[in-house]
Amino acid sequence: MTQLEGLSTEAIIERGKNVVMNTYGRLPMTIVKGKGVWVWDTEGKRYLDFLTGLAVNSLGHSHPAIVQAIQEQAEEVLHTSNLYWIPNQVALAERLVKHSFADKVFFCNSGAEANEAAFKLARKYAKEMYGDHKYEVISLKNSFHGRTLATLTLTGQTKYQKGYSPLPVGLSYTALNDLEGLKAKVNEKTAAVFIEPIQGEGGVIPCSKEFLQAARDLCDQYSALLIFDEVQCGVGRTGKLFAYEWSGVTPDIMTLAKALGGGVPMGAMLATDKVANVFQPGDHASTFGGNPLATAAGCAVLDIMLQEGFFTGVQERANYFRQGLEHLAQKYQTGDPIRGQGFILGWPVSKFGPEIVARCLQKGLLINCVGGKTLRFLPPLIVEKPEIDEALKLLDEVFAELWK
Ligand SMILES: *Cc1c(COP(=O)(O)O)cnc(C)c1O
């Protein structure tokens, strides 16, 4: 049962403005129900959700297996503490380890918290193994890694950092896919290189295989750790469980969040044994991290994604959607090609970005626009062709109205 039931959207917004901090430029709508690829607002209007709470509801809304896992766990115990062993947490860690490069997992509650943990582990590893001089961390321009002080400093966009100085020191930035630039940055003082294999908030910009491989080679040469932030592009989004699998380049540390809990807040930091062993009791912690409820949901998410044939279907339907977008980009001559992999796709448009998003909303399609000029699509991985056709039809209508 939702609170404030019976109130209009305007009334809810009015009350919200009085008491909720003004940190988001929120759209004037309230989603009160979701099922599969569909959501409904307070007024009962239905929308096709091609944004999934920003890559969170990857199996669609209220997936029966996730609902069941949460309900059953809620009746047993919701929270215990990491002072005790948590069976669901062990089971989820086993699944993650079995299907990735990693040997150990640390659980937390968000993407920023996972990246903060990775940052701390990398610093500690470098100091213990090589000495105090080795602490520099390199990340990419235009990246996004979160909103804590360390992760917003990692984030290579000054607009997120403005107003919060002094920021943590020892960080610097280099351009995505610029092999020479990266080479000029990495040296004996480098503790870690942080990379999103596909930049999400930065506009759906994939790293090339060559760039990831060069980063791997440079990190090996200078005993630095390669860290992949797969908070947005991981957990099935690209049509494989992890985005790095497409490149064949493996990191030393990887961070996850968004889709991992199927809508329940959860983050994770995965690492090889060599690196993970640096963390000893007391070195890092999180009260809620990997609690029984969140990890019950996480196990349900992975069990669905790891079913035989799941990703073959995702790749097939994602290609179908991509072709549809490419056709529209061609039809309206919007310029640069569609970017991304699987169901994280960006359509660069030189104009009207926010207006396109607003008109799609009116017609019942949820998408967003990053950096004012890239339409971003993050549909549920379970979306079928009829709903993809519906989304393409609505986009076609919007472009026909707007694009001259
Ligand atoms: C969303 C995001 C984060 C931050 O996650 P939060 O859960 O909002 O803290 C970090 N990295 C990437 C790549 C993201 O997309």
Side-chain angles (χ1 to χ4, degrees):
M1 177 71 98
T2 302
Q3 298 279 335
L4 307 188
E5 198 160 83
L7 288 192
S8 69
T9 304
E10 290 74 47
I12 294 167
I13 293 171
E14 202 54 41
R15 280 172 64 169
K17 281 184 175 162
N18 283 332
V19 289
V20 176
M21 281 202 199
N22 191 24
T23 54
Y24 275 86
R26 293 179 172 86
L27 292 163
M29 81 177 283
T30 307
I31 296 172
V32 289
K33 186 165 174 59
K35 184 76 199 156
V37 300
W38 301 98
V39 295
W40 286 262
D41 70 12
T42 330
E43 271 68 39
K45 180 175 167 187
R46 188 174 84 153
Y47 303 81
L48 195 46
D49 185 3
F50 269 44
L51 196 57
T52 55
L54 288 162
V56 170
N57 307 299
S58 287
L59 296 172
H61 294 270
S62 298
H63 189 291
I66 300 175
V67 171
Q68 187 186 352
I70 292 171
Q71 280 177 342
E72 287 178 4
Q73 189 54 48
E75 292 190 2
E76 299 297 327
V77 66
L78 283 175
H79 177 80
T80 53
S81 155
N82 284 301
L83 295 174
Y84 314 105
W85 287 93
I86 299 170
N88 292 348
Q89 186 183 123
V90 176
L92 179 55
E94 282 176 351
R95 284 165 174 74
L96 292 169
V97 164
K98 181 169 174 206
H99 296 280
S100 74
F101 71 94
D103 303 307
K104 294 282 183 335
V105 187
F106 171 83
F107 288 101
C108 52
N109 311 286
S110 70
E113 201 186 344
N115 284 331
E116 188 85 23
F119 192 114
K120 284 177 69 178
L121 180 58
R123 276 261 169 97
K124 192 153 195 288
Y125 177 82
K127 276 180 191 288
E128 279 188 14
M129 304 292 281
Y130 303 100
D132 279 344
H133 69 285
K134 196 172 180 70
Y135 61 85
E136 285 183 359
V137 175
I138 297 165
S139 62
L140 300 187
K141 289 176 186 161
N142 197 45
S143 58
F144 185 83
H145 296 293
R147 304 293 200 134
T148 64
L149 264 188
T151 59
L152 75 83
T153 311
L154 275 174
T155 294
Q157 304 187 57
T158 46
K159 69 175 179 195
Y160 293 113
Q161 302 168 343
K162 232 180 86 216
Y164 301 116
S165 60
L167 298 172
V169 296
L171 290 87
S172 65
Y173 313 95
T174 187
L176 180 142
N177 289 344
D178 174 1
L179 275 70
E180 290 309 311
L182 183 66
K183 208 167 163 186
K185 280 271 174 195
V186 183
N187 58 43
E188 314 68 50
K189 289 162 80 180
T190 308
V193 177
F194 256 92
I195 294 176
E196 293 163 84
I198 301 175
Q199 287 188 341
E201 303 306 302
V204 192
I205 307 177
C207 291
S208 69
K209 208 166 159 165
E210 295 69 37
F211 183 71
L212 295 176
Q213 188 60 55
R216 179 69 276 172
D217 294 344
L218 283 165
C219 284
D220 289 342
Q221 186 182 346
Y222 290 101
S223 304
L225 299 177
L226 181 60
I227 304 176
F228 285 169
D229 177 346
E230 294 215 11
V231 168
Q232 187 163 150
C233 63
V235 197
R237 184 52 48 196
T238 62
K240 289 186 188 284
L241 190 57
F242 303 113
Y244 77 81
E245 295 175 47
W246 289 102
S247 69
V249 176
T250 50
D252 302 290
I253 300 178
M254 174 172 68
T255 55
L256 305 174
K258 294 196 163 97
L260 185 58
V264 180
M266 177 162 47
M269 190 249 315
L270 288 69
T272 59
D273 263 332
K274 178 185 80 161
V275 180
N277 287 342
V278 163
F279 267 176
Q280 290 299 309
D283 285 341
H284 194 57
S286 174
T287 297
F288 292 119
N291 93 355
L293 182 79
T295 46
C299 285
V301 167
L302 287 192
D303 286 347
I304 295 161
M305 290 189 183
L306 292 168
Q307 275 168 13
E308 185 73 34
F310 180 83
F311 286 121
T312 321
V314 173
Q315 289 173 22
E316 209 243 310
R317 286 174 281 114
N319 283 335
Y320 179 77
F321 181 43
R322 188 189 188 114
Q323 280 164 15
L325 290 177
E326 278 166 353
H327 171 78
L328 290 176
Q330 190 75 37
K331 177 172 173 183
Y332 293 99
Q333 300 277 306
T334 52
D336 290 348
I338 306 293
R339 293 190 295 254
Q341 178 89 53
F343 277 128
I344 173 167
L345 293 173
W347 179 357
V349 288
S350 49
K351 55 190 180 185
F352 302 136
E355 180 65 22
I356 294 166
V357 172
R359 292 198 182 206
C360 283
L361 179 73
Q362 267 176 7
K363 289 179 186 288
L365 173 66
L366 305 184
I367 61 167
N368 90 335
C369 174
V370 274
K373 49 185 198 295
T374 304
L375 302 176
R376 179 171 48 170
F377 304 92
L378 299 161
L381 308 181
I382 53 146
V383 69
E384 297 285 348
K385 285 181 185 169
E387 293 120 10
I388 292 174
D389 288 338
E390 172 76 10
L392 291 168
K393 188 192 92 183
L394 294 176
L395 283 163
D396 195 2
E397 283 176 24
V398 168
F399 272 80
E401 287 168 19
L402 215 54
W403 204 269
K404 297 276 151 44

